[in-house]
Amino acid sequence: MEIVALIIFFFVYLGMILGCWPGLALDRAGIAFLGAIAFIELQNISISQAVNYVDLSALAILFSFMIISAQFYFSGFYTYVVECMGKWVLTPPQLLLAVILISALLSAVLINDIVCLALTPLIIKACFRKGLNPVPFLIGLACASNIGSALTLIGNPQNLLIGQVLHIPFAQYLKLSLIPCLLGLFVTWFVIKYQIKGNWFKKNQEINFEIIPFNFWQSFKGIMVIIVIVLTFSFTDLPREKIALVVAGFLLLSRRMASQTLFGFIDWQLLLLFIGLFIVNGSFLDIHDINSLPKFLTHYHIDVHSSTWIFLISVVLSNIVSNVPAVMLLLPLIDNSFNGSLLALSSSLAGNMFIIGSLANIIVIAQASQLGVKINWKNHMAVGLPITVITLIILLAWFYLVT
């Protein structure tokens, strides 16, 4: 059984690396789902027993934040933000800084993938109107959203998972993340500004797409619930998943915003990926005994309790399998909130290195391509690689100072 489990585990994470199984029309979520089925059959367990591997509270909080993000999307809040920014009298470098700071702030309190999905077409439209080259602004959006999402425990799916599983205090994490993330945003601005070498302007054709109109009341509701969540997460010990579910339920009580609309925005693929990997990882560690794994790694001089090794492994894995699968693979080996915070920060910041490192990168590039703006891996890496290296050095230096 152990050999078969190892083979299944290997092919599941090979699929996470490749994004598919060659010859089959399967994506990462489908591969994780099939892997979960294989482990259920291998262990000969019931579905109810398999559910024990799934952290339902983590799924509940992720689901709730998807509804909150949908509220902001369909309220036209993002449209309002970009239109206001477009009216400011700014030089191109100043506008780039505004894009970086605003996208980072939004990504810190909303799921960064949704922020990128909403802002990408709006930023392209604003750049076209001003005769600007949208590429540096879009790369700035992707990189800043990854850094901004690292700032809090509610900025991206992997941070939500880490914070929920390890019960990391919201304020405690923020104390560790604030300095490296703020410095990282200015590093992003400087690197892109240097790379563009003054070539800010480009003739573009006007594009037309449906813009969601701004609704003050619906946006106000979203802002209020985010404030409630941040305050309760920071200053109370109430269960986060219950707070998030109550808030999401409140948003569903609307006379105009249909629940079907909000539910239609849920990333069911991502939820299925989480469920599948929960079962795959839990089953594998049960079969191979989780306590024996650290001993096995120690034999090869890898100490999974060492902050240095956690940092190195998370950076490498995040750029091989993407940061969500990397975190789910490493999380069972993390035994304290400090190392959990390091995992959250390093995996999020490492996502800037290559396009595959973060779903936010993929979303920006795919959305831009649909609107005629091409960003290839060389364009991204020329900016993403130095930003990642510098921000990770800052992170290491900061953690060295606070320990």
Side-chain angles (χ1 to χ4, degrees):
M1 180 185 288
E2 290 186 0
I3 297 298
V4 176
L6 186 60
I7 292 171
I8 296 171
F9 188 80
F10 170 79
F11 276 103
V12 167
Y13 276 90
L14 178 63
M16 296 300 108
I17 295 171
L18 301 176
C20 64
W21 280 340
L24 295 174
L26 278 172
D27 59 11
R28 287 187 174 92
I31 292 168
F33 181 65
L34 286 179
I37 294 173
F39 270 109
I40 290 171
E41 294 302 318
L42 178 65
Q43 290 183 290
N44 193 26
I45 60 176
S46 66
I47 299 299
S48 58
Q49 288 174 307
V51 170
N52 291 331
Y53 290 122
V54 179
D55 192 324
L56 293 177
S57 63
L59 288 181
I61 197 170
L62 179 57
F63 175 81
S64 301
F65 269 86
M66 288 179 180
I67 291 178
I68 296 167
S69 295
Q71 175 75 22
F72 277 90
Y73 184 85
F74 289 109
S75 69
F77 176 78
Y78 297 109
T79 304
Y80 176 76
V81 169
V82 175
E83 285 183 348
C84 287
M85 190 165 51
K87 294 176 182 177
W88 298 340
V89 181
L90 300 173
T91 64
Q94 290 171 342
L95 182 61
L96 173 64
L97 182 60
V99 168
I100 288 171
L101 294 178
I102 289 172
S103 59
L105 177 62
L106 292 174
S107 296
V109 292
L110 298 168
I111 296 176
N112 66 330
D113 301 338
I114 308 299
V115 172
C116 288
L117 182 69
L119 290 186
T120 298
L122 296 172
I123 287 175
I124 291 174
K125 191 174 183 69
C127 287
F128 280 11
R129 284 178 177 173
K130 291 176 174 289
L132 294 171
N133 177 10
V135 172
F137 297 91
L138 294 175
I139 295 177
L141 165 65
C143 292
S145 71
N146 286 324
I147 296 172
S149 73
L151 181 63
T152 69
L153 290 171
I154 58 176
N156 56 47
Q158 64 268 22
N159 280 21
L160 283 166
L161 176 65
I162 292 169
Q164 186 66 17
V165 171
L166 296 177
H167 307 289
I168 300 174
F170 194 88
Q172 175 187 303
Y173 176 82
L174 189 60
K175 289 178 182 178
L176 291 173
S177 66
L178 184 60
I179 297 300
C181 287
L182 285 179
L183 291 176
L185 294 176
F186 286 100
V187 166
T188 300
W189 176 72
F190 180 80
V191 169
I192 296 176
K193 183 172 174 286
Y194 175 80
Q195 289 284 354
I196 198 67
K197 301 183 187 303
N199 299 316
W200 294 100
F201 298 96
K202 180 181 179 182
K203 290 184 178 180
N204 300 293
Q205 294 182 345
E206 184 65 27
I207 57 171
N208 293 307
F209 56 89
E210 185 180 356
I211 293 178
I212 300 173
F214 176 64
N215 184 302
F216 174 80
W217 171 241
Q218 297 297 340
S219 297
F220 179 76
K221 282 172 62 178
I223 293 170
M224 287 300 102
V225 300
I226 283 294
I227 292 174
V228 168
I229 282 178
V230 170
L231 291 177
T232 51
F233 279 21
S234 300
F235 301 109
T236 75
D237 294 324
L238 295 172
R240 294 176 187 174
E241 69 277 12
K242 289 185 178 180
I243 294 169
L245 283 171
V246 168
V247 164
F250 168 74
L251 292 177
L252 295 175
L253 296 172
S254 175
R255 291 182 297 172
R256 296 188 179 182
M257 187 81 75
S259 57
Q260 183 179 7
T261 300
L262 296 179
F263 287 144
F265 203 71
I266 301 297
D267 191 343
W268 301 105
Q269 288 274 98
L270 181 60
L271 292 175
L272 185 61
L273 175 70
F274 269 77
I275 292 170
L277 291 181
F278 269 129
I279 295 174
V280 167
N281 293 346
S283 299
F284 179 77
L285 291 174
D286 259 4
I287 292 172
H288 283 268
D289 182 11
I290 188 172
N291 294 318
S292 66
L293 187 57
K295 295 177 182 177
F296 172 78
L297 294 174
T298 301
H299 179 72
Y300 293 94
H301 308 289
I302 299 173
D303 181 6
V304 295
H305 302 301
S306 162
S307 299
T308 303
W309 274 109
I310 289 169
F311 172 83
L312 292 173
I313 295 171
S314 69
V315 168
V316 172
L317 283 180
S318 294
N319 284 288
I320 295 177
V321 299
S322 189
N323 45 25
V324 169
V327 165
M328 295 197 70
L329 185 61
L330 292 173
L331 191 54
L333 305 176
I334 306 298
D335 56 4
N336 62 73
S337 62
F338 183 84
N339 284 344
S341 299
L342 179 60
L343 175 62
L345 281 161
S346 58
S347 62
S348 297
L349 296 178
N352 277 329
M353 186 175 293
F354 303 118
I355 292 174
I356 194 177
S358 166
L359 183 57
N361 301 337
I362 296 170
I363 288 171
V364 170
I365 290 169
Q367 287 273 95
S369 178
Q370 291 174 9
L371 295 173
V373 179
K374 304 299 181 184
I375 303 174
N376 59 38
W377 66 271
K378 290 182 180 179
N379 299 140
H380 181 274
M381 194 173 72
V383 172
L385 183 59
I387 287 173
T388 303
V389 171
I390 296 170
T391 53
L392 289 176
I393 290 173
I394 290 171
L395 176 62
L396 274 180
W398 174 245
F399 267 62
Y400 177 79
L401 288 173
V402 298
T403 55

